[in-house]
């Protein structure tokens, strides 16, 4: 019986809540360190703010916000980085390492990579003129990754509304969270292959997606030729591409959502998400309040706390296994998904 009681007590400690003051004594400047690096990097690469918000999302939806997305391929890890939704698409891994190095210099072996992703997402919102909030902290890093789960859990841009709702419900996120978090598409870019199914032969109809604004359709067709490689980039927010605001929602009302998954939120007949889109479109503060709440909710998914997991010293590898470091790739050439087509 006393053994059972002990387990129960340990269980409470392990399931400790995240807390914004978690590093107040052990790494009091962690937020400003993240902020300084991103202020600097975003001057030459404004898109990095979008890329880092997305990285936190893609981390949290796969075995929780545990930094698993950062783990590289090794003999024992099949990296999430080459899962369908991530491969040749996620960005910012090098910048996360840059932040981690700066944080390690100030407070060695204290701040987890999972917390760095959560902080980088908040700082990114702030630097793009979006909302700021106190980020609950104290996550620990996983010693595993799961590429299969990344393929299962991350939503595809061709999803209809019912599939989107069920993927979010699987993470205990409701339709308000779905609409608010999709508002992150107020910044950043997408490759043609993420929306080209809408442009020429939607659902084998021989016609484009009828919910796509015909003027926007012509623009997108010129950026994304039929049968092309689909690697050109365009802005997710047609109106204000690098400013975190509520224009994403007014775009949807004009059938100017880029991804099918965006437009579904407003253009599914009778859907409960339409009124949420309309309310965020008419009141930016309402959107910002909802976004903050949903980011905190998403940031709590499946977190490791207490003595679970570890604090990685290098975000790409589990501690004590740096296989791959010797062959660390230094090539950082301009990739296909770095070029933007102007519209
Ligand atoms: C609702 C389901 C969602 C789907 C289907 C989806 C899908 C996508 C796709 C396909 C791209 C473009 C990738 C590419 O072409 O390489 C993208 C970009 C992006 N997504 Fe989402 N997303 C969703 C939700 C979210 C959420 C919840 C967030 C964050 C809270 C988010 C943040 C972003 C950002 C900021 C970008 C731009 C990234 C960059 O420019 O590097 N997305 N998303
Ligand atoms: C922790 O630090 C932050 C930022 O300096 C401050 O706002 C907060 O009040 C502190 N919390 C505690 C519990 O000391
Ligand atoms: C700012 O970024 C530049 C490269 O864009 C780098 O050379 C410099 O060291 C960075 N400064 C700080 C303080 O991080
Ligand atoms: C990821 O993309 C590369 C091309 O850049 C491709 O060779 C590789 O097969 C892809 N990985 C997976 C798991 O699909
Ligand atoms: C990865 O996730 C899948 C799907 O939930 C599960 O079946 C599998 O056991 C997991 N693999 C690892 C290595 O955790
Ligand atoms: C959504 O897509 C799924 C998978 O393609 C399909 O089974 C379902 O019928 C679709 N739902 C609606 C409402 O169109
Ligand atoms: C979604 O959950 C939040 C709390 O996390 C709640 O305030 C909100 O009312 C919920 N929305 C719906 C549509 O259930
Ligand atoms: C659209 O796709 C369907 C199925 O692949 C095909 O049968 C049809 O010929 C295509 N239509 C056009 C106009 O390309
Ligand atoms: C990229 O877009 C330009 C127009 O902006 C177009 O001429 C070119 O063919 C496109 N390239 C690819 C690879 O789709
Ligand atoms: C298409 O978008 C333009 C602005 O880009 C807008 O003026 C027009 O009303 C939109 N059309 C529809 C049907 O919403
Ligand atoms: C907009 O939303 C904010 C935040 O929820 C609320 O305080 C305010 O009353 C709303 N404004 C209007 C005009 O409804
Ligand atoms: C981890 O893998 C990425 C590609 O997914 C690569 O760019 C990076 O250099 C690798 N990091 C290390 C430390 O080997
Ligand atoms: C709910 C809603 O606004 N639906 C619109 C979706 O797009 C079509 C065009 O195909 C409009 O006619 C609908 O009003």
């Amino acid at each position: 019986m006393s053994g059972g009681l002990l387990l129960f007590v340990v269980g409470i400690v392990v399931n400790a809540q995240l807390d914004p003051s978690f590093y107040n004594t052990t790494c009091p400047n962690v937020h400003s360190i993240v902020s300084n690096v991103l202020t600097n990097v975003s001057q030459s690469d404004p898109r990095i703010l979008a890329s880092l918000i997305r990285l936190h999302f893609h981390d949290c939806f796969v075995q929780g916000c545990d930094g698993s997305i950062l783990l590289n391929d090794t003999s024992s890890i099949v990296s999430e980085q080459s899962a369908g939704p991530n491969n040749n698409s996620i960005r910012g891994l090098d910048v996360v390492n840059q932040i981690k190095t700066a944080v390690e210099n100030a407070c060695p072996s204290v701040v987890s990579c999972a917390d760095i992703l959560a902080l980088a997402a908040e700082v990114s919102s702030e630097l793009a003129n979006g909302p700021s909030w106190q980020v609950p902290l104290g996550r620990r890093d996983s010693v595993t990754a799961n590429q299969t789960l990344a393929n299962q859990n991350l939503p595809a841009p061709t999803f209809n509304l019912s599939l989107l709702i069920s993927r979010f419900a699987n993470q205990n996120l409701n339709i308000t969270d779905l609409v608010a978090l999709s508002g992150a598409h107020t910044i950043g870019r997408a490759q043609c292959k993420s929306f080209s199914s809408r442009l020429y032969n939607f659902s084998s109809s021989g016609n484009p997606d009828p919910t796509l604004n015909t003027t926007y359709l012509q623009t997108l067709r010129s950026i994304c030729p039929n049968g092309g490689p689909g690697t050109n980039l365009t802005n997710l927010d047609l109106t204000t591409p690098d400013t975190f605001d509520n224009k994403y929602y007014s775009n949807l009302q004009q059938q100017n959502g880029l991804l099918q998954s965006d437009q579904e939120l407003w253009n599914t007949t009778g859907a409960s998400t339409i009124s949420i889109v309309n309310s965020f479109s008419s009141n930016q503060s309402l959107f910002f309040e909802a976004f903050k709440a949903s980011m905190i909710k998403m940031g709590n998914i499946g977190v490791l706390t207490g003595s679970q997991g570890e604090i990685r010293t290098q975000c790409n590898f589990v501690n004590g296994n740096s296989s791959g470091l010797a062959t660390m790739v230094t090539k950082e050439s301009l990739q296909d998904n770095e070029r933007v087509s102007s519209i």
Side-chain angles (χ1 to χ4, degrees):
M1 273 294 118
S2 63
L5 184 62
L6 181 62
L7 270 178
F8 179 68
V9 171
V10 169
I12 288 174
V13 173
V14 165
N15 292 312
Q17 296 286 302
L18 303 182
D19 183 336
S21 61
F22 188 82
Y23 297 116
N24 268 24
T25 54
T26 55
C27 198
N29 296 325
V30 64
H31 188 273
S32 50
I33 295 169
V34 176
S35 188
N36 288 344
V37 175
L38 292 184
T39 301
N40 188 9
V41 174
S42 64
Q43 279 162 18
S44 56
D45 177 14
R47 186 186 171 198
I48 194 63
L49 305 177
S51 306
L52 290 170
I53 292 175
R54 186 173 189 228
L55 216 46
H56 180 45
F57 160 50
H58 281 207
D59 183 32
C60 292
F61 268 51
V62 184
Q63 62 178 37
C65 314
D66 60 358
S68 57
I69 193 171
L70 302 173
L71 290 175
N72 274 22
D73 277 320
T74 63
S75 54
S76 55
I77 299 282
V78 181
S79 180
E80 293 169 16
Q81 293 160 21
S82 44
N86 293 334
N87 202 17
N88 302 118
S89 181
I90 53 166
R91 299 173 73 247
L93 297 170
D94 51 338
V95 175
V96 171
N97 287 343
Q98 205 177 316
I99 297 170
K100 176 67 170 173
T101 300
V103 170
E104 286 295 297
N105 284 338
C107 345
S109 293
V110 164
V111 180
S112 66
C113 299
D115 275 346
I116 284 174
L117 288 178
L119 282 164
E122 188 278 335
V123 168
S124 293
S125 167
E126 223 175 303
L127 292 178
N129 293 325
S132 49
W133 62 94
Q134 296 279 306
V135 183
L137 298 166
R139 296 168 191 79
R140 291 171 63 87
D141 298 320
S142 70
V143 295
T144 62
N146 194 327
Q147 186 182 104
T148 308
L149 203 55
N151 282 314
Q152 277 176 20
N153 286 3
L154 293 169
T158 51
F159 274 12
N160 60 31
L161 184 61
S162 45
L163 286 172
L164 291 169
I165 290 173
S166 74
R167 286 302 161 93
F168 276 65
N170 286 345
Q171 308 287 344
N172 284 314
L173 297 173
N174 63 29
I175 59 167
T176 310
D177 300 313
L178 167 63
V179 176
L181 292 170
S182 294
H185 291 171
T186 177
I187 55 173
R189 321 279 177 258
Q191 300 171 75
C192 291
K193 59 182 153 197
S194 298
F195 54 86
S196 55
S197 63
R198 307 181 71 196
L199 306 182
Y200 299 99
N201 191 357
F202 185 67
S203 303
S204 303
S205 64
N207 297 309
D209 184 341
T211 68
L212 180 58
N213 188 304
T214 51
T215 307
Y216 195 26
L217 170 68
Q218 297 314 319
T219 307
L220 294 176
R221 280 180 166 178
S222 74
I223 298 168
C224 310
N226 197 5
T231 49
N232 268 357
L233 288 177
T234 194
N235 299 321
L236 277 157
D237 177 350
L238 176 65
T239 317
T240 52
D242 290 319
T243 305
F244 197 109
D245 57 18
N246 66 339
K247 294 292 191 294
Y248 167 82
Y249 300 103
S250 44
N251 291 340
L252 299 185
Q253 293 172 319
Q254 299 185 93
Q255 297 180 204
N256 283 326
L258 182 62
L259 309 179
Q260 186 191 341
S261 56
D262 294 323
Q263 197 59 52
E264 287 276 331
L265 301 175
W266 188 77
N267 213 242
T268 300
T269 311
S272 43
T273 50
I274 297 175
S275 60
I276 306 174
V277 170
N278 291 340
S279 68
F280 291 165
S281 169
S282 64
N283 186 343
Q284 179 163 281
S285 314
L286 190 66
F287 164 48
F288 280 13
E289 290 307 314
F291 187 75
K292 291 193 259 186
S294 294
M295 283 295 281
I296 291 170
K297 206 168 157 183
M298 183 176 84
N300 266 298
I301 296 170
V303 292
L304 304 174
T305 57
S307 59
Q308 296 173 316
E310 62 181 21
I311 305 297
R312 282 183 219 142
T313 51
Q314 212 283 357
C315 291
N316 304 130
F317 300 101
V318 167
N319 291 342
N321 181 354
S322 56
S323 61
L325 271 178
T327 56
M328 201 166 141
V329 187
T330 52
K331 179 182 79 73
E332 196 54 71
S333 60
L334 200 63
Q335 297 178 345
D336 282 343
N337 69 341
E338 309 281 313
R339 275 184 278 105
V340 189
S341 299
S342 54
I343 52 173

